[in-house]
Amino acid sequence: EIVLTQSPATLSLSPGERATLSCRASQSVSSYLAWYQQKPGQAPRLLIYDASNRATGIPARFSGSGSGTDFTLTISSLEPEDFAVYYCQQRSSWPPVTFGPGTKVDIK
Amino acid sequence: EVQLVASGGGLVQPGGSLRLSCAASGFTFSSYSMNWVRQAPGRGLEWVSYISSSRSPMYYADSVKGRFTISRDNAKNSLYLQMNSLRAEDTAVYYCARGLRYSGYDWGYYMDVWGKGTTVTVSS
């Protein structure tokens, strides 16, 4: 099973700052990686698929990059509604898909 | 408005059964694959099962294979998850989630619309 690790576990930033979240795979997943955002008490929301494609309706401040084993989600300038938990997900081994443990972005 | 509403969760004893439902609206349900994903209390996300738009193929996580059965009724715009032989470790919020369609193809391993989730608690 492909294992995803995310770092840091928690990222404390202020609104307007740039957020850089990392996801690393235990083996290459090519570009088959997605990012989701989850706010407390809510369902996840798809942000990015295939490493760098923004999902419908996702603001341009969210961008994804990477391939192989190392991936990055960047939020160029944090808005108040962006403070949440972010999960990466790989589909290279489909089925199944696996998720990373998440990175919490909280307000500094 | 595109919407998924999961229901059917509750408290069940170990070894018991439960059937979850997911009602879809606002899109052509029969054209999309669907998934169930769960989240144990305070934990991350775990994919559970997938069903294609035409009901085959279906896939399951190893942790539920042989105990859970996914199904759908396209005439009723509904998705189901029959859960048998439930264990304490099945306790979670269960989300139904729509598979992504891109350029007319099923990319159901990515999930672009999620329901609010229904809570399953397995405890004596």
Side-chain angles (χ1 to χ4, degrees), chain A residues 2 15 20 32 42 50 55 64 67 74-75 78-79 81-82 86-87 96 98:
Chain A
I2 297 175
T20 303
Y32 303 141
Q42 296 186 17
D50 268 11
S67 65
T74 301
I75 310 171
L78 282 165
E79 298 288 339
E81 61 268 27
D82 298 338
Y86 293 83
Y87 295 96
T98 53

CSV table of all heavy atoms in Angstrom, one decimal, chain A residues 2 15 20 32 42 50 55 64 67 74-75 78-79 81-82 86-87 96 98:
chain,number,residue,atom,x,y,z
A,2,ILE,N,0.5,2.2,-0.8
A,2,ILE,CA,1.3,3.5,-0.9
A,2,ILE,C,0.9,4.3,0.3
A,2,ILE,O,-0.3,4.6,0.6
A,2,ILE,CB,1.0,4.2,-2.2
A,2,ILE,CG1,1.5,3.4,-3.4
A,2,ILE,CG2,1.6,5.6,-2.2
A,2,ILE,CD1,1.1,3.9,-4.7
A,15,PRO,N,-3.5,35.6,8.4
A,15,PRO,CA,-4.2,35.9,7.1
A,15,PRO,C,-3.2,36.8,6.2
A,15,PRO,O,-2.6,37.7,6.8
A,15,PRO,CB,-5.4,36.7,7.5
A,15,PRO,CG,-5.7,36.2,8.9
A,15,PRO,CD,-4.4,35.9,9.5
A,20,THR,N,2.6,26.8,2.6
A,20,THR,CA,3.2,25.8,1.7
A,20,THR,C,3.1,24.5,2.5
A,20,THR,O,3.7,24.3,3.6
A,20,THR,CB,4.7,26.1,1.5
A,20,THR,OG1,4.8,27.4,0.8
A,20,THR,CG2,5.3,25.0,0.5
A,32,TYR,N,-0.5,11.5,-10.0
A,32,TYR,CA,-1.9,11.1,-9.6
A,32,TYR,C,-2.2,11.4,-8.1
A,32,TYR,O,-2.4,10.5,-7.3
A,32,TYR,CB,-2.1,9.6,-9.8
A,32,TYR,CG,-1.8,9.2,-11.2
A,32,TYR,CD1,-1.2,8.0,-11.5
A,32,TYR,CD2,-2.3,10.0,-12.3
A,32,TYR,CE1,-0.9,7.6,-12.9
A,32,TYR,CE2,-2.1,9.6,-13.6
A,32,TYR,CZ,-1.4,8.4,-13.9
A,32,TYR,OH,-1.2,8.0,-15.2
A,42,GLN,N,-17.5,19.8,8.7
A,42,GLN,CA,-17.9,19.8,7.3
A,42,GLN,C,-17.3,18.6,6.6
A,42,GLN,O,-16.3,18.0,7.0
A,42,GLN,CB,-17.5,21.1,6.6
A,42,GLN,CG,-18.2,22.3,7.2
A,42,GLN,CD,-17.9,23.5,6.4
A,42,GLN,OE1,-17.5,23.5,5.2
A,42,GLN,NE2,-18.2,24.7,7.0
A,50,ASP,N,-4.8,15.5,-10.0
A,50,ASP,CA,-3.7,15.2,-10.8
A,50,ASP,C,-2.6,16.3,-10.6
A,50,ASP,O,-2.0,16.8,-11.5
A,50,ASP,CB,-4.1,15.2,-12.3
A,50,ASP,CG,-4.4,13.8,-12.8
A,50,ASP,OD1,-4.5,12.9,-11.9
A,50,ASP,OD2,-4.6,13.6,-14.0
A,55,ALA,N,-9.9,22.2,-9.1
A,55,ALA,CA,-11.2,21.7,-9.3
A,55,ALA,C,-12.1,22.9,-9.6
A,55,ALA,O,-11.8,24.1,-9.4
A,55,ALA,CB,-11.7,20.9,-8.1
A,64,GLY,N,-1.2,23.6,-6.9
A,64,GLY,CA,-0.5,22.4,-6.6
A,64,GLY,C,0.6,22.1,-7.6
A,64,GLY,O,0.6,22.5,-8.7
A,67,SER,N,5.6,15.9,-8.6
A,67,SER,CA,5.4,14.6,-9.3
A,67,SER,C,6.3,13.6,-8.7
A,67,SER,O,7.2,13.9,-8.0
A,67,SER,CB,5.7,14.8,-10.8
A,67,SER,OG,7.0,15.0,-11.0
A,74,THR,N,0.2,25.0,-2.4
A,74,THR,CA,0.5,26.4,-2.0
A,74,THR,C,-0.8,27.2,-2.0
A,74,THR,O,-1.6,27.2,-2.9
A,74,THR,CB,1.5,27.0,-3.0
A,74,THR,OG1,2.7,26.2,-3.0
A,74,THR,CG2,1.8,28.4,-2.5
A,75,ILE,N,-1.0,28.0,-0.9
A,75,ILE,CA,-2.0,29.0,-0.8
A,75,ILE,C,-1.3,30.3,-0.8
A,75,ILE,O,-0.6,30.6,0.2
A,75,ILE,CB,-2.9,28.8,0.4
A,75,ILE,CG1,-3.3,27.3,0.6
A,75,ILE,CG2,-4.1,29.7,0.4
A,75,ILE,CD1,-4.0,27.0,1.9
A,78,LEU,N,-3.3,33.7,2.4
A,78,LEU,CA,-4.4,33.1,3.2
A,78,LEU,C,-5.6,34.0,3.5
A,78,LEU,O,-5.4,35.1,4.0
A,78,LEU,CB,-3.8,32.6,4.6
A,78,LEU,CG,-3.0,31.3,4.5
A,78,LEU,CD1,-2.2,31.1,5.8
A,78,LEU,CD2,-4.0,30.1,4.3
A,79,GLU,N,-6.7,33.5,3.2
A,79,GLU,CA,-8.0,34.2,3.5
A,79,GLU,C,-8.5,33.6,4.8
A,79,GLU,O,-8.2,32.4,5.2
A,79,GLU,CB,-9.0,34.0,2.4
A,79,GLU,CG,-8.6,34.7,1.1
A,79,GLU,CD,-8.7,36.2,1.1
A,79,GLU,OE1,-9.4,36.8,2.0
A,79,GLU,OE2,-8.0,36.8,0.3
A,81,GLU,N,-11.2,32.1,5.5
A,81,GLU,CA,-11.9,30.9,5.3
A,81,GLU,C,-11.0,29.7,4.9
A,81,GLU,O,-11.4,28.6,4.8
A,81,GLU,CB,-13.0,31.1,4.2
A,81,GLU,CG,-12.4,31.5,2.8
A,81,GLU,CD,-12.4,33.0,2.6
A,81,GLU,OE1,-12.3,33.7,3.6
A,81,GLU,OE2,-12.5,33.4,1.5
A,82,ASP,N,-9.7,30.0,4.8
A,82,ASP,CA,-8.7,28.9,4.4
A,82,ASP,C,-8.2,28.2,5.6
A,82,ASP,O,-7.5,27.2,5.4
A,82,ASP,CB,-7.6,29.5,3.6
A,82,ASP,CG,-8.0,30.2,2.3
A,82,ASP,OD1,-9.1,29.9,1.8
A,82,ASP,OD2,-7.3,31.1,1.8
A,86,TYR,N,-6.0,20.1,5.6
A,86,TYR,CA,-5.8,19.7,4.2
A,86,TYR,C,-5.2,18.3,4.1
A,86,TYR,O,-4.2,18.0,4.8
A,86,TYR,CB,-4.8,20.7,3.6
A,86,TYR,CG,-5.4,22.1,3.5
A,86,TYR,CD1,-5.4,23.0,4.6
A,86,TYR,CD2,-6.1,22.5,2.3
A,86,TYR,CE1,-6.0,24.2,4.5
A,86,TYR,CE2,-6.7,23.8,2.2
A,86,TYR,CZ,-6.6,24.6,3.3
A,86,TYR,OH,-7.2,25.9,3.2
A,87,TYR,N,-5.8,17.5,3.2
A,87,TYR,CA,-5.4,16.1,3.0
A,87,TYR,C,-5.0,16.0,1.6
A,87,TYR,O,-5.6,16.5,0.7
A,87,TYR,CB,-6.6,15.2,3.3
A,87,TYR,CG,-7.1,15.1,4.7
A,87,TYR,CD1,-8.2,15.9,5.1
A,87,TYR,CD2,-6.5,14.3,5.6
A,87,TYR,CE1,-8.7,15.8,6.4
A,87,TYR,CE2,-7.0,14.2,6.9
A,87,TYR,CZ,-8.1,15.0,7.3
A,87,TYR,OH,-8.6,14.9,8.6
A,96,PRO,N,-6.9,0.6,-4.0
A,96,PRO,CA,-7.7,1.7,-3.4
A,96,PRO,C,-7.0,3.0,-3.6
A,96,PRO,O,-6.0,3.1,-4.3
A,96,PRO,CB,-7.6,1.3,-1.9
A,96,PRO,CG,-6.2,0.8,-1.8
A,96,PRO,CD,-5.9,0.0,-3.1
A,98,THR,N,-5.5,6.2,-1.2
A,98,THR,CA,-5.2,6.4,0.2
A,98,THR,C,-5.0,7.9,0.4
A,98,THR,O,-4.6,8.6,-0.5
A,98,THR,CB,-3.9,5.7,0.6
A,98,THR,OG1,-2.8,6.0,-0.4
A,98,THR,CG2,-4.1,4.1,0.5
